[in-house]
Amino acid sequence: MRIAAILAVLLGGQEKPDFRFNGKSLDGFRPWLRESKGEDPLKVFSVVDGQIRVSGEGMGYLGTEKAYQDYRLSVEYKWGTKTDGSKYVRNSGILIHATGPDGAAGKGAWMSSIEVQLAQGCVGDLIPIRAPDATVSFKGETALGSDKRPRWSKGGEPVAYTGKQFWWSKHEAGFKELVDTRGKDDVDSPLGEWTKVELVCKGGRVTVIVNGTTVNEIFDVSPSAGRILLQNEGNEIFFRAFEIHPL
């Protein structure tokens, strides 16, 4: 244990985070929008009542200025009122281990990264997002549901993923991705309430915890470090309590 961590324990507190949203400004973050590149003329990303507001206009992300490795991210989110106008679920995500140029993946919208899905009914699904010349991959202990789709299952068969979505353990089979619907075993909070997401990234392993329940885990993750991005994907969403603690 590092000296700072030992002192924190002895003093009854927690080790100082590597980064924390200050509740007042977006210092430590920088925006990317496909439509305007590194500028944010419409104030898609702003601070409202001590929370990060993502308006949902356009496509892009608010990313940490720095890259991180071996950390625990703790963040809370809740949906706003604006949707993308479609019949489908509200959609956003947290992109971790983001590397390479801004907008190099997703037709100019994302970075090469691993998406921790926040879409309704899918919270905790994991998706490799790759630029054409990049490698993003991981392995997961896998079992197939009744729909033959791969889900995380502790002790299951190790399977490599380079492009397809790896579902969280109780992603409902046959779930209809319609706005404001829920899967029968979803552990995220009801619409309008805050959901806490914790990501433990250590070496080549990532563990996803939603409201205190471990819902997904991967290993042999590549890359194993990078920036952290809050996704803007057509739906209003708020984030708070964004903290990155070293392991």
Side-chain angles (χ1 to χ4, degrees):
M1 183 181 288
R2 295 186 301 175
I3 292 175
I6 294 172
L7 289 175
V9 172
L10 292 176
L11 294 174
Q14 293 185 340
E15 187 174 0
K16 182 179 179 181
D18 281 345
F19 178 74
R20 172 186 289 154
F21 165 55
N22 63 23
K24 299 177 182 179
S25 72
L26 296 179
D27 291 350
F29 295 96
R30 58 182 172 88
W32 174 267
L33 292 170
R34 181 168 60 190
E35 296 77 14
S36 55
K37 310 308 179 188
E39 303 297 325
D40 185 12
L42 298 179
K43 301 299 181 186
V44 172
F45 308 106
S46 61
V47 178
V48 177
D49 296 330
Q51 305 153 22
I52 298 172
R53 177 181 181 256
V54 181
S55 73
E57 296 174 85
M59 300 283 277
Y61 48 82
L62 183 71
T64 59
E65 292 180 343
K66 296 181 180 179
Y68 295 91
Q69 184 172 21
D70 293 338
Y71 61 90
R72 183 185 189 98
L73 170 67
S74 178
V75 62
E76 297 176 21
Y77 76 90
K78 72 173 180 179
W79 298 106
T81 57
K82 179 187 179 297
T83 71
D84 61 5
S86 76
K87 65 180 181 179
Y88 298 109
V89 293
R90 299 170 191 263
N91 197 356
S92 186
I94 302 170
L95 279 55
I96 62 172
H97 301 348
T99 58
D102 285 301
K107 299 180 180 180
W110 323 127
M111 292 176 69
S112 287
S113 55
I114 297 170
E115 178 175 359
V116 182
Q117 184 66 265
L118 300 183
Q120 293 172 314
C122 310
V123 181
D125 290 1
L126 296 167
I127 309 171
I129 298 176
R130 297 182 297 133
D133 58 349
T135 299
V136 179
S137 62
F138 55 77
K139 294 179 182 176
E141 295 176 302
T142 303
L144 299 180
S146 58
D147 51 6
K148 308 301 181 184
R149 293 293 299 270
R151 294 167 174 75
W152 176 60
S153 177
K154 191 69 172 177
E157 178 185 0
V159 174
Y161 295 85
T162 59
K164 61 184 178 181
Q165 190 161 334
F166 183 45
W167 283 2
W168 74 281
S169 58
K170 294 186 178 181
H171 186 132
E172 183 180 350
F175 176 69
K176 304 298 183 184
E177 295 190 9
L178 301 176
V179 66
D180 297 339
T181 55
R182 290 176 61 84
K184 62 183 181 65
D185 294 314
D186 285 0
V187 296
D188 55 301
S189 303
L191 184 66
E193 298 182 15
W194 291 97
T195 294
K196 184 175 183 178
V197 176
E198 297 168 278
L199 306 176
V200 180
C201 304
K202 184 175 183 180
R205 184 173 293 271
V206 174
T207 303
V208 182
I209 304 163
V210 179
N211 282 341
T213 298
T214 298
V215 299
N216 211 335
E217 190 169 60
I218 52 177
F219 59 97
D220 286 357
V221 175
S222 179
S224 59
R227 295 171 62 205
I228 302 169
L229 318 177
L230 301 177
Q231 197 174 46
N232 173 52
E233 198 171 359
N235 297 269
E236 184 183 32
I237 188 170
F238 294 85
F239 295 94
R240 71 177 186 184
F242 184 103
E243 293 188 2
I244 303 169
H245 287 266
L247 295 180

